[in-house]
Amino acid sequence: MVVVFAIILLALLFFATEPVPVDVTAIGVMVALMLVPPVSGLLVSLGLLSAPIETITPEQGISGFSSAATITVLAMFILSEGVQRTGVVQILGAKISTLTGDSETKQLGATIGVVGPISGFINNTAAVAILLPMVTDLAERGKTSPSKLLMPLSFASMFGGMLTLIGTSTNILASQLSERLGVGAFSMFQFTQLGLVVSLFGTAYLLTVGRYLIPERIKPQVDLTEEFEMADYLTEVTVRADSPLVGQQVQTALVETEFDVDLIQLIRNEEVFLEPLGPKQIQAGDVFAIRTDRNTLVDLLDVEGLDLVPEVTVDEAELEVASGGQNLVEVVVAPGSSLVGESLASASFRQRYNATVLALRRGGALIRRRMDNIPLRVGDTLLVQATTGSIERLDQNRDFIVAQEVERHDYRDSKILVAVGIVAAVVGLAALDFVPIVVSALAGALAMVATGCLKPTEIYDAVQWDVIFLLAGVIPLGIAMEKTGAATLLAEFVVLTAEFLPLLAVLGVFYVVTALLTNVVSNNASVVLMIPVAFEAAVTLGARPLSFILAVTFAASTAFMTPVGYQTNLFVYGPGGYRFTDYMRVGAPLQLLFAVVTTLGIAFFFGL
């Protein structure tokens, strides 16, 4: 138990601080647990230990990869991608946005009303990624601050995910853990009635109290250069005939200099050029739109033979004259992105994507100079200028979420009914208990490919592999807790509270502890740690194990108090311009409300 607790504490530290991605930490936990028996056996042979320490066998260690939960989540990612490729969610969002106008109440109601139900049937993380551009544009058209809509988008996706078994990976994992403990797997709609109650209270909170607690971090405006406060960082210069830059290629100009400057747009003979600018040879009279600060600009003009173009304001309209299309967008670094931990320089962002980063927003902080060597994090928002084609490619790249609607030409709208029908069949077969959810989900994933909703090569890109490896890595931790008695020991401490608390309050304690844990570590890790403890406590108290398991499941899927508690919170962190404390201000009352509503709801629907 001591060894397992030591591994748990170290894992929690790594989950909370993220010196490495959470999926790497999970695999590290799995490997550490499997290494304990042979290493302790070696220490016994050297006389340094009296007896070997048994944690888990290698078969148990890798069981997470063959777990029904892991495979089901993998299949659900493919199903969600199949639906997304048809464009049905975007079409639905666009239809609803036409009804909201400039009413913030209608916009907020539409945001919650769309993402909640959708999150019950496709992965809620995918639902937020799909709807984030629609909600941002909804705010822009209605002259509403996106800050007012994006946090509700994330929160509503969480409680919407509690409507069905397949709404979140956490539900699926909790179902398997429940089955392994002998309580039984969850049915498709087993807790839907509780999910509806929770969703109604959550919606009421976001439309009333929460609405006034959410700050307007980003002012309602159309121009992205204003939003990122770029007025002092964007300007136009013209190349003099005596400039040392004349005759150089853009890609070599200013490389040897100490100046923090980007050449972002070239105007030559009234023709405007964007990336790739690198191969172009600089000529006298060329006009460049540049990103730099005022102090650097003074030195740059003198040293490089440039003149300031007078009476020119470089705003979004000026930066989008190149093709008359969309050249300026916000791009969010997605979870699992290959750019996490990389800098713009080390990732060769400009060359790889034919795009220029003008500014970086991390929560409420704006960075507009010397960005090239800053390691990127999940949720960072980049203000990017590129050609329309490059922006469409960024929109299709799984490393990013483009925060504005991008006109796409590759939606398979003819497959809408097919994709929706496949998801309905998956849900129906599992709900009728005709086949287990893992079988219907895999069959549905196969059907997505067979019917042309997805191409075979797209199914691998559809899967969030970091989530799969996270699940596979943490599942053995639950086995080790049960096998060594660690779960029983923790349960005994909780059971002590029953001496001075009623059973309903003990159930509430499990909800609160799990919710607090989930806000700093992975929701899936929280479920793996807490469900065995909740089960043991329920058995000891003579209570219904299912009720205690459901309390943990609901708490683990509703992490409102920090941006790192749930992936969807990170999605909206940058685009909403939020501060870390905003989540506590808005999320803490909602978390407390859910603690009461969920605990009472479980007692009413499932008993104690």
Side-chain angles (χ1 to χ4, degrees), residues 81-105:
E81 181 72 7
V83 173
Q84 182 180 344
R85 291 278 180 176
T86 68
V88 62
V89 178
Q90 289 84 346
I91 293 169
L92 177 63
K95 295 281 187 189
I96 291 176
S97 68
T98 60
L99 306 175
T100 59
D102 58 1
S103 167
E104 184 183 310
T105 303

Side-chain angles (χ1 to χ4, degrees), residues 34 56-66 476 479:
M34 289 192 293
I56 56 174
T57 64
E59 290 75 18
Q60 291 170 325
I62 62 172
S63 63
F65 285 102
S66 61
I479 297 173

Side-chain angles (χ1 to χ4, degrees), residues 79 85 164 209 224 289 358 361 385 397 537 540 548 593:
L79 287 169
R85 291 278 180 176
T164 71
V209 178
L224 284 172
L358 306 185
R361 183 166 60 216
Q385 192 209 22
N397 192 314
T540 305
F548 278 69
L593 174 67

Side-chain angles (χ1 to χ4, degrees), residues 132-437:
L132 190 149
M134 182 272 289
V135 173
T136 304
D137 280 5
L138 187 68
E140 181 181 306
R141 286 195 294 268
K143 302 295 186 290
T144 300
S145 168
S147 309
K148 288 290 189 179
L149 301 182
L150 290 176
M151 192 178 287
L153 174 71
S154 174
F155 288 2
S157 77
M158 284 188 238
F159 54 70
M162 299 312 297
L163 292 172
T164 71
L165 170 63
I166 60 174
T168 75
S169 59
T170 313
N171 294 350
I172 297 168
L173 178 57
S175 176
Q176 193 208 346
L177 293 172
S178 177
E179 184 177 28
R180 194 178 73 217
L181 291 166
V183 179
F186 301 153
S187 63
M188 180 62 67
F189 300 109
Q190 182 156 1
F191 44 78
T192 298
Q193 69 273 49
L194 178 60
L196 284 170
V197 171
V198 167
S199 294
L200 287 172
F201 274 90
T203 300
Y205 172 85
L206 292 175
L207 288 172
T208 54
V209 178
R211 174 180 176 179
Y212 297 103
L213 291 177
I214 297 172
E216 195 177 89
R217 294 295 181 201
I218 296 176
K219 299 300 177 188
Q221 53 202 6
V222 175
D223 198 314
L224 284 172
T225 58
E226 288 181 39
E227 182 180 314
F228 279 79
E229 300 172 16
M230 297 297 296
D232 291 334
Y233 294 86
L234 294 176
T235 191
E236 283 188 0
V237 295
T238 184
V239 181
R240 297 202 305 260
D242 62 348
S243 170
L245 298 178
V246 173
Q248 293 188 42
Q249 286 186 320
V250 172
Q251 61 196 6
T252 57
L254 302 176
V255 169
E256 303 280 332
T257 181
E258 292 292 320
F259 294 131
D260 174 36
V261 60
D262 282 318
L263 306 180
I264 58 178
Q265 184 169 279
L266 167 63
I267 305 170
R268 178 180 292 167
N269 300 325
E270 298 186 357
E271 190 174 359
V272 183
F273 301 95
L274 299 179
E275 288 290 349
L277 294 176
K280 296 195 179 300
Q281 198 170 61
I282 299 174
Q283 300 175 9
D286 281 349
V287 175
F288 282 102
I290 64 172
R291 181 211 56 82
T292 190
D293 61 86
R294 293 301 181 197
N295 293 332
T296 303
L297 178 62
V298 173
D299 296 332
L300 183 70
L301 294 174
D302 183 50
V303 174
E304 301 296 349
L306 303 172
D307 287 329
L308 193 63
V309 177
E311 299 179 7
V312 171
T313 300
V314 181
D315 56 13
E316 185 171 347
E318 177 73 12
L319 292 175
E320 293 200 334
V321 297
S323 63
Q326 193 173 20
N327 300 130
L328 200 65
V329 292
E330 293 175 277
V331 172
V332 184
V333 179
S337 170
S338 62
L339 270 71
V340 174
E342 297 277 0
S343 66
L344 296 173
S346 67
S348 302
F349 186 95
R350 185 168 187 159
Q351 295 78 14
R352 189 191 298 185
Y353 302 108
N354 282 334
T356 305
V357 177
L358 306 185
L360 184 156
R361 183 166 60 216
R362 180 169 289 166
L366 281 173
I367 304 167
R368 288 153 298 195
R369 58 191 303 271
R370 303 207 177 276
M371 299 172 287
D372 284 355
N373 297 310
I374 297 175
L376 296 173
R377 302 178 188 169
V378 173
D380 281 351
T381 303
L382 310 176
L383 179 62
V384 170
Q385 192 209 22
T387 63
T388 302
S390 293
I391 288 172
E392 285 183 3
R393 286 189 291 275
L394 285 172
D395 188 45
Q396 295 169 11
N397 192 314
R398 302 304 294 249
D399 286 340
F400 310 105
I401 300 167
V402 177
Q404 285 83 32
E405 287 278 15
V406 174
E407 185 177 349
R408 293 273 293 273
H409 308 287
D410 60 346
Y411 285 134
R412 295 160 194 158
D413 49 5
S414 64
K415 302 289 185 181
I416 288 176
L417 292 178
V418 177
V420 172
I422 289 171
V423 173
V426 168
V427 172
L429 289 172
L432 294 171
D433 246 353
F434 182 73
V435 291
I437 181 63

Side-chain angles (χ1 to χ4, degrees), residues 3-14:
V3 171
V4 170
F5 281 134
I7 291 173
I8 288 172
L9 289 174
L10 192 60
L12 290 177
L13 178 65
F14 272 62

